[in-house]
Amino acid sequence: IGSAIDLSKVPTAINRVDAAAFENTHSLSAVNAANKTIPSVTLSNQTGNDFEPDLQYRGFGASPLTGAPAGLAIYQNGVRINQALGDNVHWVFIPTE
């Protein structure tokens, strides 16, 4: 959904957090839904702001902190939402509705 690439042709594991994940987990954010539905996802709080957690997945991270090790590409509706410089992900800018 939202991608021109057939997911069966992508040579890696792909995890999606869709509307069903939000409904099943009663989560209000994509990060919390991912934490509850995708195996190996862990959250930490480096900034002290619960709305901007660090997401770790099998040794790779997505963080709002500049300079934090990155490695995960985060997409919303087929569009990458990591910032161009530093790969920062500001989770608060992802709409909840």
Side-chain angles (χ1 to χ4, degrees):
I1 298 175
S3 176
I5 299 172
D6 182 10
L7 295 182
S8 66
K9 300 196 184 297
V10 177
T12 189
I14 295 174
N15 294 293
R16 288 193 307 203
V17 177
D18 56 10
F22 281 87
E23 289 177 22
N24 294 338
T25 62
H26 304 288
S27 295
L28 298 177
S29 71
V31 179
N32 288 330
N35 187 38
K36 293 178 180 179
T37 59
I38 300 174
S40 301
V41 167
T42 57
L43 300 179
S44 62
N45 189 344
Q46 300 294 326
T47 63
N49 181 350
D50 290 335
F51 297 104
E52 291 283 350
D54 292 341
L55 184 142
Q56 297 291 320
Y57 176 71
R58 297 184 180 179
F60 296 97
S63 174
L65 292 175
T66 302
L72 289 178
I74 308 297
Y75 289 84
Q76 179 182 16
N77 296 329
V79 177
R80 188 169 176 170
I81 61 169
N82 297 60
Q83 288 189 358
L85 299 173
D87 267 347
N88 298 16
V89 179
H90 293 285
W91 303 109
V92 295
F93 295 137
I94 298 175
T96 57
E97 296 182 16

